[in-house]
Amino acid sequence: MFKRRAIKKYGNQLLPRLQKRYGEQTFYNASQVRATVYQCNFNPSYLPLGYLLFLEPYALNKIVTTEFPELCIKKYKQEIKEYLNERKYYGYLKQLTI
């Protein structure tokens, strides 16, 4: 239950919070995403999801390698996609299926 709620919050509320704090951008940097996650009460366990959604691919690989060296981002993305398909929830997360 908590996992679904946390993921749903990332899908529904992270982008509006980023836009409010930093303006509308195509991509955000890691410090902007991290600060928003911690300061706006998002579950930090899903910080890689925030990175996956809002960082440029090059920056994503670099930051994940640095902050989460044990995490395979491709496998993580696949796990999140499978979870979303199982729960029939997408919200902003529908971009993960592209």
Side-chain angles (χ1 to χ4, degrees):
M1 176 112 160
F2 295 116
K3 180 177 182 176
R4 183 176 192 275
R5 188 177 305 162
I7 291 173
K8 193 172 180 180
K9 186 173 181 179
Y10 272 77
N12 291 334
Q13 297 177 22
L14 186 55
L15 179 59
R17 295 282 176 99
L18 286 166
Q19 289 173 333
K20 183 177 180 180
R21 293 168 61 110
Y22 304 108
E24 197 168 317
Q25 300 175 30
T26 304
F27 296 105
Y28 294 88
N29 66 47
S31 62
Q32 292 170 326
V33 173
R34 187 182 320 103
T36 302
V37 164
Y38 281 98
Q39 294 171 4
C40 296
N41 294 323
F42 286 83
N43 184 337
S45 300
Y46 297 98
L47 180 57
L49 176 58
Y51 289 157
L52 184 62
L53 291 169
F54 300 109
L55 266 62
E56 291 181 274
Y58 172 76
L60 172 66
N61 291 329
K62 186 176 178 182
I63 199 72
V64 168
T65 301
T66 304
E67 290 186 20
F68 303 97
E70 72 288 347
L71 180 69
C72 173
I73 198 67
K74 288 182 182 181
K75 186 175 179 181
Y76 182 79
K77 181 178 179 179
Q78 187 59 39
E79 289 173 6
I80 294 292
K81 285 170 51 177
E82 288 172 5
Y83 182 81
L84 295 173
N85 285 333
E86 179 182 304
R87 296 294 185 157
K88 308 277 191 258
Y89 171 74
Y90 299 100
Y92 185 76
L93 302 173
K94 67 184 173 200
Q95 78 177 33
L96 291 176
T97 60
I98 298 172

